[in-house]
Amino acid sequence: MDRFGVDAFLPFEQRVSTIVELVRRGYAESVVVSHDASCYIDFFEAGDFGDRWNYRHISEDVLPALRAAGVSEDDIDTILVKNPIRYFE
């Protein structure tokens, strides 16, 4: 699930609910998350992507939302650690 933080393309709540449903259906081993954020970008106006377009978004917003929706710590570890390791090995 790419582009967390760019809510203009897909709202945060829909991104989270999509991941929750994929995990519920048994696809946790196929999910990874990423965000689009940068320290400086000059071809968009400040605020075009909202307040969630930052490097802390996954840890401060996405993970708590997944936990609140019932995604287990094991599934979160799979999404954040095991899947990327498997992909890059």
Side-chain angles (χ1 to χ4, degrees), residues 30-47:
S30 298
V31 176
V32 294
V33 296
S34 65
H35 56 68
D36 288 344
S38 64
C39 293
Y40 174 79
I41 192 165
D42 64 355
F43 54 91
F44 293 109
E45 294 294 321

Side-chain angles (χ1 to χ4, degrees), residues 17-29 75:
S17 66
T18 298
I19 292 173
V20 170
E21 185 62 20
L22 287 169
V23 170
R24 188 190 71 75
R25 292 183 184 198
Y27 293 105
E29 292 184 358
D75 286 331

